[in-house]
């Protein structure tokens, strides 16, 4: 069983930065592609960043150049560094394996970008 716990969200002004963390329990972490997803009110949950087991990454066009995903396999942790935040980045952010495991969704962490 995999458990994922997200943290690091908060309220930030436009142009600001946040770093999200996702701590994973279970043996799947080191062999899985991991991703950060987000869901804004009234919208579907979208994948915004992926990091493969070997470290290669991919990003949604909306966050490319502003967000950086990384992972520490020794700590079973994946991170999302978010810079130059915009109001449209406001959402609940979740981590999960890619493709997502339906039973792995955690509570997420709220990110609000507002002046």
């Amino acid at each position: 069983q995999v458990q994922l716990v997200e943290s690091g969200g908060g309220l930030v002004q436009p142009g600001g930065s946040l770093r999200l963390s996702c701590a994973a329990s279970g043996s799947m972490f080191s062999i899985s592609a991991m991703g950060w997803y987000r869901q804004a009110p009234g919208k579907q949950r979208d994948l915004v960043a992926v990091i493969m087991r070997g470290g290669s990454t991919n990003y949604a066009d909306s966050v490319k150049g502003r967000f950086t995903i990384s992972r520490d396999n020794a700590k079973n942790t994946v991170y999302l560094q978010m810079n130059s935040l915009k109001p449209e980045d406001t959402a609940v952010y979740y981590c999960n394996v890619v493709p997502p495991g339906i039973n792995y969704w955690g509570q997420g962490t709220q990110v609000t970008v507002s002046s």
Side-chain angles (χ1 to χ4, degrees):
Q1 182 70 18
V2 173
Q3 287 188 318
L4 301 167
V5 180
E6 302 92 347
S7 62
L11 173 64
V12 63
Q13 293 186 342
S17 298
L18 283 174
R19 188 193 195 206
L20 307 184
S21 298
C22 171
S25 62
S27 59
M28 283 190 59
F29 179 86
S30 63
I31 64 172
S32 299
M34 295 295 298
W36 281 97
Y37 303 75
R38 70 184 181 186
Q39 186 169 21
K43 296 188 177 181
Q44 68 181 17
R45 191 172 299 183
D46 292 325
L47 177 64
V48 297
V50 180
I51 185 163
M52 306 304 289
R53 180 180 59 180
S56 60
T57 59
N58 210 345
Y59 299 92
D61 287 344
S62 59
V63 306
K64 199 171 294 183
R66 300 187 297 121
F67 289 11
T68 302
I69 188 171
S70 60
R71 67 191 295 166
D72 185 334
N73 289 338
K75 295 182 178 180
N76 279 10
T77 302
V78 62
Y79 305 97
L80 186 67
Q81 178 66 44
M82 306 187 295
N83 298 329
S84 302
L85 282 161
K86 304 175 181 180
E88 51 263 44
D89 295 318
T90 295
V92 179
Y93 284 72
Y94 304 86
C95 66
N96 205 327
V97 297
V98 179
I102 192 170
N103 294 322
Y104 298 165
W105 293 112
Q107 294 300 307
T109 186
Q110 175 72 47
V111 172
T112 303
V113 185
S114 175
S115 56

